[in-house]
Amino acid sequence: MPECPVPYSEEEIEIWQDRLSELEANIMVSDEDEGDDDAYASMLTRITDPAEMARIHEAWDAPTDQRIIAANAGAGGSEIVVFGKHTQRLSPASWLFDEVINVYMFLLQERDDELRRQDPTRKPSHFFNSYFFEKMFEPDGRNSYDYSQIKRWSRKIKSTTPKGDVFELDKMFIPVNISNSHWTLAVAFVKEKKFVYYDSMGGSGRDYIAGLKQYFKDEAKAKGKANWETIVDDWEVVLGSRNTPQQSNGSDCGVFTSTTANYLAQDLELRFSSLDADNFRRRMTLELLELQLL
């Protein structure tokens, strides 16, 4: 296969040099946080290898019905197949499908599980798929709430003791597909007792956070926890705002949602911007092709 040239102009290179200089200037280096600095640098590493670029463009240009990868990332470990029509959307200026987002959440879960195998004292996190809120709000969208639709979802959580106890998690991540037009992220920081909504277009996510908060109450009741009616009343609520990284177009929301989840899962601050979006698309493409996070 012929090598694919790296399509970066001198102007783009200068922008990225400025971006990296800014990053270096804003990070205070010490013995304690050198590991974090490495993590930030790793997340922002530019994909430039010609062979990797060729693989990326091959995936972006794949025929619509071509089977690209499959992962046991669905309900009950069922298979999710990613076709060319899905990887085409990883190219710049394209909106991501559920299949890509949900396989990416699966990869984040796989990494978290591996980290716990290496350190059994580590608190687990759980990554639900994009159908969590869709089921929660059936049949009337955000005007309704039905715990019965999702009461069995906590059984998917195998990492807690006891199993299926959402209150024994570190964090819970839920990607939100809003009417097939926008992606956002809701996160329960269980250990910190906080609910946060991340929207790269500044939406508040009030209904989703209210639904998530009620879900935790219903889970507490179902698990027989004391004071279940008030168990999360004092948890902090942080609605979406423009204080988190914001996209500069109408198509990068899925990339921002996935990347935000990746950063938060590593306890990293959200030190990225719309300038990083195209490189994150390349990164996500490679990660899906390898079924492993970089």
Side-chain angles (χ1 to χ4, degrees):
M1 180 179 296
E3 291 186 351
C4 178
V6 181
Y8 306 136
S9 66
E10 291 184 3
E11 181 180 0
E12 287 177 308
I13 292 173
E14 288 179 3
I15 290 174
W16 276 100
Q17 287 174 336
D18 291 341
R19 176 83 175 93
L20 290 174
S21 296
E22 177 186 350
L23 179 65
E24 291 171 355
N26 288 333
I27 296 177
M28 300 299 293
V29 179
S30 68
D31 291 340
E32 289 77 20
D33 63 17
E34 279 186 359
D36 282 350
D37 292 342
D38 290 343
Y40 288 114
S42 175
M43 289 295 294
L44 294 173
T45 298
R46 296 281 282 168
I47 306 296
T48 59
D49 180 75
E52 291 181 335
M53 290 298 294
R55 292 188 68 200
I56 291 167
H57 281 273
E58 184 178 15
W60 289 354
D61 297 334
T64 298
D65 59 352
Q66 180 178 328
R67 182 185 174 110
I68 306 298
I69 58 101
N72 296 324
S78 60
E79 187 177 70
I80 294 179
V81 179
V82 174
F83 291 95
K85 66 180 179 181
H86 304 127
T87 55
Q88 289 171 11
R89 295 298 191 94
L90 281 161
S91 62
S94 299
W95 193 84
L96 302 187
F97 283 140
D98 287 85
E99 286 81 357
V100 167
I101 298 292
N102 290 335
V103 171
Y104 201 79
M105 293 298 122
F106 168 77
L107 296 181
L108 291 171
Q109 186 68 67
E110 289 279 285
R111 181 180 65 189
D112 192 77
D113 293 344
E114 177 57 30
L115 290 173
R116 287 198 69 251
R117 282 190 285 271
Q118 296 173 16
D119 178 10
T121 65
R122 175 187 170 92
K123 274 274 191 180
S125 291
H126 192 78
F127 301 79
F128 280 122
N129 65 34
S130 61
Y131 303 114
F132 181 87
F133 280 113
E134 181 179 317
K135 299 298 291 184
M136 174 190 286
F137 290 134
E138 283 186 348
D140 299 320
R142 282 176 282 174
N143 294 319
S144 64
Y145 170 87
D146 189 352
Y147 175 66
S148 68
Q149 295 290 328
I150 52 172
K151 66 180 181 180
R152 294 184 176 86
W153 281 53
S154 61
R155 297 180 184 178
K156 304 172 189 285
I157 303 172
K158 309 295 185 184
S159 55
T160 58
T161 303
K163 292 181 179 179
D165 190 341
V166 298
F167 290 92
E168 292 300 318
L169 293 171
D170 178 18
K171 306 178 191 73
M172 177 191 291
F173 296 82
I174 309 105
V176 187
N177 180 342
I178 303 177
S179 303
N180 289 324
S181 62
H182 187 45
W183 284 106
T184 64
L185 181 71
V187 183
F189 292 85
V190 183
K191 189 165 63 175
E192 297 178 31
K193 297 185 177 181
K194 180 169 63 175
F195 298 106
V196 186
Y197 188 77
Y198 297 90
D199 187 336
S200 54
M201 294 187 75
S204 73
R206 190 180 307 275
D207 295 335
Y208 295 104
I209 293 299
L212 184 57
K213 190 172 183 177
Q214 184 60 47
Y215 170 75
F216 268 76
K217 285 188 177 183
D218 288 334
E219 279 291 300
K221 181 180 180 181
K223 299 296 191 297
K225 293 186 181 294
N227 303 318
W228 65 267
E229 291 178 306
T230 59
I231 195 167
V232 294
D233 282 358
D234 62 345
W235 285 28
E236 182 182 1
V237 170
V238 181
L239 299 180
S241 72
R242 295 194 178 276
N243 293 327
T244 55
Q246 300 289 287
Q247 63 194 85
S248 60
N249 57 28
S251 56
D252 280 340
C253 50
V255 176
F256 273 69
T257 291
S258 302
T259 301
T260 295
N262 194 351
Y263 269 70
L264 295 176
Q266 299 178 76
D267 294 320
L268 298 177
E269 297 177 7
L270 302 180
R271 297 181 188 173
F272 63 90
S273 74
S274 58
L275 289 173
D276 305 300
D278 283 355
N279 192 57
F280 284 142
R281 285 180 178 273
R282 300 181 185 103
R283 181 187 182 95
M284 287 180 66
T285 304
L286 284 178
E287 290 172 327
L288 262 66
L289 291 174
E290 295 292 335
L291 286 179
Q292 183 173 351
L293 299 176
L294 297 177

